[in-house]
């Protein structure tokens, strides 16, 4: 392995750079790339590729770092993991054992969180389009609170709760019209976004909620986006919500909770990681004097760095007219959608220590799916890799497997959990026949010919 170095601005991080920023990963001369204490080649050889791998120890360490930063600022918010980031039961169970609750955005996620052992009292339900059945489920489970995102939903929930003879604990999710400065597809706090209640209407609707049957308003929620590394947008949004709390209290209404949402970013390339201590400082500065309970909803920050996607080079295809060659992997956009959806950058490391020290070259890393968008990296500087070389795509623990599909008739990849020096398959590779096992052909369509 080469010595750690700093990549010049605009250049791809080296193997050493990527390892230096990820203490849960290391490169051993004999074992190659190791996650926690498990050589990833052992998993790739035993389970095959593509395979998702999550580190339980890494999840715990990051959870404790986050809650420790909050405690260091004198805060004790309830922590609700954003299930949309990674919904595997094992991942949810690891975090639940650390004390995390769940932030869910569908009835399916709510039931999944409950199946993972997360108490209903630690579950919050967000989302702009909750159905009547989902609202009824949340009421029946008696979850911590429902984040109401529109005036229309407020009226619907009141009717559902009153009909069921229940009282819904709610927050109003406010859209503070603050630009988080992230990719347009993961920004959620602007007035042009579909999420939340317009800031100018929040006080009026809070008073309306207090008067409606079946509702018990607790306070406000907000979530301004994802992959945020600067604290300025957070402070601006929190300050606006603090003003709402004071305005509502001035009307004689009680406010006991502010849910600060999530969105803290991680370092995929060289952008730096959002610091939990800085987030805690922003919360304390803007909300600390309000005498309210606090909640946060981390997702990517906890799970993203804890996961990798293992893959192999199917073949190396020469580029035309001196252009970079193509490395065609057995993983594809149906496995990891983020690069094709967001132009997202993911580090790529060889599993072999010998491959890791090969001279670097510019390559295009792509998958085998029949779409031009099936690309992981363009003109990326990587050690020279040949057919069959195994690699790890980094920081895929959030919005990775959970967004997978079976497009092009490709089964879902296997999943593995590492915990220190042990590992286990937590979801086997999907058998190909399962892709059509639930298909039903109407009896008025002629059967397939014998022997077809």
């Amino acid at each position: 392995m080469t010595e750690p170095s700093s990549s010049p601005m605009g250049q791809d991080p080296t193997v050493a750079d990527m390892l230096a920023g990820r203490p849960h990963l290391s490169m051993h001369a004999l074992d190659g790339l190791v996650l926690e204490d498990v050589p990833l080649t052992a998993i790739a050889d035993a389970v095959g590729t593509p395979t998702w791998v999550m580190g339980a120890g890494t999840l715990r360490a990051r959870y404790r770092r986050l809650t420790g930063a909050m405690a260091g600022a004198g805060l004790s918010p309830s922590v609700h993991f954003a299930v949309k980031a990674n919904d595997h039961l094992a991942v949810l169970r690891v975090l639940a054992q650390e004390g995390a609750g769940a932030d869910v955005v569908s009835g399916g996620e709510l039931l999944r969180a409950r199946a993972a052992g997360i108490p209903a009292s630690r579950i919050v339900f967000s989302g702009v389009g909750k159905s009547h059945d989902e609202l009824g489920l949340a009421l029946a489970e008696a979850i911590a609170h429902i984040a109401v995102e529109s005036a229309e939903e407020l009226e619907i929930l009141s009717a559902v709760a009153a009909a069921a003879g229940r009282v819904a604990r709610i927050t109003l999710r406010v859209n503070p019209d603050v630009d988080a400065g992230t990719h347009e597809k993961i920004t959620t706090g602007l007035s042009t976004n579909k999420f939340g209640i317009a800031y100018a209407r929040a006080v009026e609707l809070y008073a309306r909620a207090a008067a409606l049957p079946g509702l018990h308003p607790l306070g406000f929620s907000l979530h301004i986006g994802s992959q945020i590394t600067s604290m300025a947008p957070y402070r601006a949004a929190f300050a606006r919500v603090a003003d709402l709390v004071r305005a509502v209290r001035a009307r004689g209404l009680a406010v006991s909770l502010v849910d600060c949402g999530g969105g803290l970013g991680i370092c995929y390339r060289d952008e730096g990681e959002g610091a939990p201590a800085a987030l805690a400082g922003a919360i304390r500065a803007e909300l600390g004097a309000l005498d309210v309970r606090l909640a946060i909803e981390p997702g990517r920050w906890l799970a993203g760095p804890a996961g990798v996607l293992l893959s192999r080079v199917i073949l190396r295809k020469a580029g035309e007219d001196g252009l970079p060659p193509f490395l065609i992997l057995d993983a594809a956009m149906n496995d990891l959608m983020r690069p094709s959806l967001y132009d997202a950058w993911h580090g790529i490391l060889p599993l072999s220590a010998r491959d890791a020290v090969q001279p670097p070259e510019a390559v295009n890393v792509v998958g085998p799916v029949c779409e031009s968008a099936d690309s992981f990296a363009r003109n990326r500087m990587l050690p020279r890799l040949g057919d069959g070389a195994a690699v790890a795509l980094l920081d895929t623990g959030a919005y990775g497997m959970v967004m997978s599909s079976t497009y092009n008739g490709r089964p879902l990849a296997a999943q593995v959990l590492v915990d220190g020096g042990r590992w286990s398959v937590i979801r086997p590779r999907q058998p190909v026949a399962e892709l059509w096992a639930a298909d039903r052909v109407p009896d008025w369509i002629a059967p397939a010919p014998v022997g077809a």
Side-chain angles (χ1 to χ4, degrees):
M1 186 177 91
T2 57
E3 292 297 316
S5 63
S6 296
S7 299
M9 187 66 67
Q11 293 188 11
D12 292 327
T14 65
V15 169
D17 293 329
M18 287 187 281
L19 290 170
R22 296 164 176 82
H24 52 292
L25 291 172
S26 56
M27 186 69 75
H28 295 193
L30 295 178
D31 291 333
L33 189 63
V34 173
L35 173 60
E36 298 187 8
D37 296 319
V38 175
L40 291 173
T41 51
I43 296 174
D45 290 345
V47 182
T49 55
T51 291
W52 304 92
V53 185
M54 287 290 294
T58 308
L59 278 171
R60 294 189 193 97
R62 294 186 71 81
Y63 184 87
R64 293 170 189 177
R65 182 179 157 201
L66 178 64
T67 54
M70 294 292 160
L75 306 175
S76 56
S78 57
V79 180
H80 305 274
F81 175 65
V83 174
K84 60 182 176 290
N86 190 315
D87 67 1
H88 195 286
L89 293 183
V91 170
L92 300 180
R93 184 74 58 85
V94 167
L95 292 171
Q97 289 174 347
E98 290 294 306
D103 164 50
V104 305
V105 294
S106 72
E109 284 190 351
L110 195 163
L111 293 174
R112 183 177 280 267
R114 296 290 289 119
I118 297 176
S121 61
R122 297 215 303 263
I123 296 174
V124 300
F125 196 160
S126 307
V128 71
K130 310 175 193 74
S131 71
H132 285 66
D133 287 345
E134 287 174 324
L135 293 173
L137 173 64
L139 287 167
E141 290 284 331
I143 66 170
H145 70 260
I146 299 169
V148 174
E149 299 216 17
S150 66
E152 293 80 2
E153 184 182 18
L154 196 67
E155 302 293 335
I156 291 169
L157 179 56
S158 171
V160 171
R166 298 179 181 273
V167 175
R169 291 182 292 272
I170 67 165
T171 58
L172 297 191
R173 176 175 172 177
V174 176
N175 187 321
D177 198 19
V178 169
D179 188 353
T182 63
H183 191 287
E184 64 177 6
K185 292 184 179 179
I186 53 175
T187 293
T188 61
L190 290 172
S191 59
T192 53
N193 298 139
K194 68 179 181 178
F195 300 96
I197 291 166
Y199 185 84
R201 297 195 64 194
V203 174
E204 164 202 337
L205 285 178
Y206 197 92
R208 172 66 176 161
L212 283 171
L215 301 183
H216 178 198
L218 302 174
F220 295 99
S221 297
L222 72 156
H223 182 75
I224 60 173
S226 190
Q227 188 53 15
I228 303 169
T229 56
S230 167
M231 294 303 111
Y234 279 126
R235 289 201 62 163
F238 296 157
R240 299 207 81 193
V241 169
D243 287 342
L244 288 181
V245 171
R246 288 187 279 266
V248 165
R249 285 176 171 170
R251 290 194 175 197
L253 299 172
V255 179
S256 60
L257 172 68
V258 172
D259 187 332
C260 301
L264 195 62
I266 64 174
C267 180
Y268 286 104
R269 187 172 187 255
D270 55 8
E271 65 270 48
E273 182 175 82
L279 176 61
I283 294 172
R284 180 177 176 83
E286 304 299 340
L287 303 172
L290 289 180
D291 188 25
V292 291
R293 292 185 294 114
L294 297 167
I296 55 175
E297 299 169 0
R300 184 194 312 270
W301 195 91
L302 289 177
V308 298
L309 173 60
L310 305 185
S311 184
R312 286 192 188 275
V313 177
I314 296 175
L315 64 87
R316 180 187 175 93
K317 179 182 176 181
E320 296 294 330
D321 300 322
L323 294 174
F326 291 93
L327 295 184
I328 303 175
L329 304 185
D330 61 4
M333 64 183 290
N334 73 290
D335 300 302
L336 179 61
M337 187 184 293
R338 295 190 71 254
S340 61
L341 187 61
Y342 305 125
D343 295 321
W345 196 99
H346 284 270
I348 301 173
L349 288 179
L351 299 197
S352 162
R354 179 177 297 178
D355 287 342
V357 296
Q358 295 305 305
E361 63 173 352
V363 293
N364 297 319
V365 185
V366 301
V369 157
C370 193
E371 296 281 350
S372 295
D374 185 24
S375 174
F376 295 117
R378 293 287 185 184
N379 207 31
R380 178 77 63 88
M381 294 300 296
L382 293 178
R384 194 181 195 284
L385 301 172
D387 294 0
V391 299
L393 284 79
L394 307 183
D395 306 312
T396 60
Y399 307 105
M401 178 64 199
V402 75
M403 296 176 75
S404 296
S405 76
T406 58
Y407 184 50
N408 274 196
R410 292 172 49 83
L412 296 175
Q415 295 188 70
V416 167
L417 186 70
V418 165
D419 195 356
R422 59 188 174 180
W423 64 273
S424 178
V425 175
I426 56 174
R427 185 178 294 167
R429 190 174 311 283
Q430 186 180 33
V432 175
E434 280 192 9
L435 295 178
W436 58 83
D439 289 6
R440 297 292 180 266
V441 179
D443 56 13
W444 41 263
I445 293 179
V450 177

